[in-house]
Short mmCIF file of all heavy atoms in Angstrom, two decimals:
data_model
loop_
_atom_site.label_atom_id
_atom_site.label_comp_id
_atom_site.label_asym_id
_atom_site.label_seq_id
_atom_site.Cartn_x
_atom_site.Cartn_y
_atom_site.Cartn_z
N HIS A 60 265.97 288.45 141.25
CA HIS A 60 265.35 287.39 142.02
C HIS A 60 265.30 287.67 143.53
O HIS A 60 264.78 286.83 144.29
CB HIS A 60 266.09 286.08 141.79
CG HIS A 60 265.82 285.49 140.42
ND1 HIS A 60 266.54 285.87 139.32
CD2 HIS A 60 264.89 284.60 140.00
CE1 HIS A 60 266.05 285.21 138.25
NE2 HIS A 60 265.06 284.42 138.64
N THR A 61 265.84 288.80 143.96
CA THR A 61 265.70 289.15 145.38
C THR A 61 265.73 290.66 145.53
O THR A 61 266.36 291.39 144.73
CB THR A 61 266.85 288.54 146.22
OG1 THR A 61 266.59 288.76 147.61
CG2 THR A 61 268.21 289.17 145.87
N ASP A 62 265.02 291.13 146.55
CA ASP A 62 265.07 292.53 146.90
C ASP A 62 265.77 292.70 148.23
O ASP A 62 265.71 293.78 148.85
CB ASP A 62 263.65 293.12 146.96
CG ASP A 62 262.74 292.42 147.96
OD1 ASP A 62 263.21 291.44 148.61
OD2 ASP A 62 261.58 292.81 148.09
N ARG A 63 266.48 291.66 148.69
CA ARG A 63 267.19 291.72 149.95
C ARG A 63 268.67 291.91 149.73
O ARG A 63 269.17 291.75 148.60
CB ARG A 63 266.92 290.39 150.69
CG ARG A 63 265.42 290.16 150.98
CD ARG A 63 265.19 288.94 151.81
NE ARG A 63 263.76 288.72 152.02
CZ ARG A 63 263.26 287.76 152.79
NH1 ARG A 63 264.08 286.95 153.44
NH2 ARG A 63 261.97 287.63 152.92
N PRO A 64 269.39 292.28 150.76
CA PRO A 64 270.85 292.49 150.62
C PRO A 64 271.59 291.26 150.10
O PRO A 64 271.23 290.12 150.43
CB PRO A 64 271.29 292.80 152.06
CG PRO A 64 270.08 293.34 152.72
CD PRO A 64 268.92 292.56 152.17
N TYR A 65 272.55 291.50 149.25
CA TYR A 65 273.42 290.42 148.71
C TYR A 65 274.81 291.01 148.57
O TYR A 65 275.03 292.21 148.75
CB TYR A 65 272.88 289.94 147.35
CG TYR A 65 273.03 290.96 146.26
CD1 TYR A 65 274.15 290.95 145.42
CD2 TYR A 65 272.08 291.96 146.10
CE1 TYR A 65 274.29 291.92 144.42
CE2 TYR A 65 272.23 292.93 145.10
CZ TYR A 65 273.32 292.90 144.27
OH TYR A 65 273.50 293.85 143.30
N GLY A 66 275.76 290.16 148.25
CA GLY A 66 277.13 290.65 148.10
C GLY A 66 277.79 290.03 146.86
O GLY A 66 277.29 289.10 146.24
N VAL A 67 278.96 290.59 146.55
CA VAL A 67 279.83 290.06 145.50
C VAL A 67 281.21 289.86 146.12
O VAL A 67 281.76 290.76 146.76
CB VAL A 67 279.91 291.02 144.28
CG1 VAL A 67 281.00 290.53 143.30
CG2 VAL A 67 278.58 291.08 143.58
N ASN A 68 281.73 288.67 145.91
CA ASN A 68 283.11 288.36 146.35
C ASN A 68 284.07 288.66 145.23
O ASN A 68 283.96 288.14 144.13
CB ASN A 68 283.19 286.88 146.75
CG ASN A 68 284.58 286.48 147.27
OD1 ASN A 68 285.55 286.46 146.53
ND2 ASN A 68 284.64 286.21 148.55
N LEU A 69 285.03 289.54 145.49
CA LEU A 69 286.02 289.96 144.50
C LEU A 69 287.41 289.45 144.90
O LEU A 69 287.86 289.64 146.04
CB LEU A 69 286.07 291.48 144.35
CG LEU A 69 284.81 292.14 143.83
CD1 LEU A 69 285.02 293.63 143.72
CD2 LEU A 69 284.41 291.58 142.47
N ILE A 70 288.06 288.76 143.98
CA ILE A 70 289.42 288.26 144.15
C ILE A 70 290.42 289.33 143.70
O ILE A 70 290.39 289.72 142.52
CB ILE A 70 289.63 286.96 143.36
CG1 ILE A 70 288.56 285.93 143.77
CG2 ILE A 70 291.02 286.40 143.60
CD1 ILE A 70 288.52 285.58 145.23
N MET A 71 291.20 289.82 144.62
CA MET A 71 292.01 291.01 144.32
C MET A 71 293.12 290.76 143.29
O MET A 71 293.62 291.72 142.70
CB MET A 71 292.57 291.60 145.62
CG MET A 71 291.51 291.98 146.64
SD MET A 71 290.09 292.87 145.95
CE MET A 71 290.84 294.33 145.32
N ASN A 72 293.49 289.54 143.10
CA ASN A 72 294.52 289.25 142.07
C ASN A 72 293.90 288.78 140.76
O ASN A 72 294.60 288.28 139.88
CB ASN A 72 295.56 288.26 142.57
CG ASN A 72 294.93 286.91 142.95
OD1 ASN A 72 293.73 286.71 142.84
ND2 ASN A 72 295.76 286.00 143.43
N HIS A 73 292.60 288.97 140.60
CA HIS A 73 291.91 288.63 139.34
C HIS A 73 292.38 289.60 138.27
O HIS A 73 292.57 290.79 138.50
CB HIS A 73 290.39 288.76 139.55
CG HIS A 73 289.58 288.13 138.45
ND1 HIS A 73 289.47 288.70 137.19
CD2 HIS A 73 288.80 287.00 138.44
CE1 HIS A 73 288.67 287.95 136.46
NE2 HIS A 73 288.27 286.90 137.17
N ARG A 74 292.51 289.09 137.06
CA ARG A 74 293.01 289.90 135.95
C ARG A 74 292.11 291.10 135.62
O ARG A 74 292.53 292.14 135.09
CB ARG A 74 293.21 289.06 134.69
CG ARG A 74 291.93 288.46 134.16
CD ARG A 74 292.17 287.55 132.95
NE ARG A 74 290.96 286.97 132.42
CZ ARG A 74 290.31 285.94 132.93
NH1 ARG A 74 290.85 285.34 134.01
NH2 ARG A 74 289.18 285.48 132.39
N ASP A 75 290.81 290.97 135.95
CA ASP A 75 289.85 292.05 135.64
C ASP A 75 289.43 292.83 136.86
O ASP A 75 288.35 293.47 136.87
CB ASP A 75 288.55 291.44 135.00
CG ASP A 75 288.83 290.81 133.64
OD1 ASP A 75 289.70 291.33 132.92
OD2 ASP A 75 288.22 289.82 133.28
N ILE A 76 290.23 292.84 137.92
CA ILE A 76 289.79 293.41 139.20
C ILE A 76 289.44 294.89 139.07
O ILE A 76 288.47 295.36 139.69
CB ILE A 76 290.82 293.17 140.30
CG1 ILE A 76 290.27 293.67 141.63
CG2 ILE A 76 292.16 293.81 139.96
CD1 ILE A 76 288.97 293.07 142.09
N ALA A 77 290.19 295.67 138.28
CA ALA A 77 289.88 297.08 138.13
C ALA A 77 288.48 297.30 137.55
O ALA A 77 287.70 298.13 138.00
CB ALA A 77 290.94 297.78 137.29
N ALA A 78 288.16 296.50 136.53
CA ALA A 78 286.80 296.62 135.92
C ALA A 78 285.74 296.13 136.88
O ALA A 78 284.67 296.70 136.96
CB ALA A 78 286.78 295.81 134.62
N PHE A 79 286.02 295.04 137.61
CA PHE A 79 285.07 294.52 138.58
C PHE A 79 284.80 295.56 139.68
O PHE A 79 283.66 295.71 140.13
CB PHE A 79 285.63 293.25 139.25
CG PHE A 79 285.52 292.03 138.38
CD1 PHE A 79 285.11 292.03 137.08
CD2 PHE A 79 285.93 290.78 138.90
CE1 PHE A 79 285.06 290.90 136.29
CE2 PHE A 79 285.85 289.63 138.14
CZ PHE A 79 285.43 289.69 136.82
N ALA A 80 285.87 296.24 140.11
CA ALA A 80 285.76 297.22 141.19
C ALA A 80 284.78 298.34 140.80
O ALA A 80 284.04 298.85 141.65
CB ALA A 80 287.11 297.80 141.52
N GLN A 81 284.80 298.73 139.52
CA GLN A 81 283.88 299.75 139.06
C GLN A 81 282.48 299.17 138.81
O GLN A 81 281.47 299.82 139.05
CB GLN A 81 284.37 300.37 137.75
CG GLN A 81 283.54 301.52 137.22
CD GLN A 81 283.41 302.67 138.22
OE1 GLN A 81 284.37 303.12 138.83
NE2 GLN A 81 282.19 303.14 138.42
#
Side-chain angles (χ1 to χ4, degrees):
H60 287 85
T61 188
D62 58 1
R63 300 185 183 185
Y65 69 95
V67 171
N68 182 290
L69 295 181
I70 304 302
M71 302 315 299
N72 59 1
H73 194 288
R74 63 185 181 279
D75 294 327
I76 186 57
F79 284 4
Q81 183 59 46

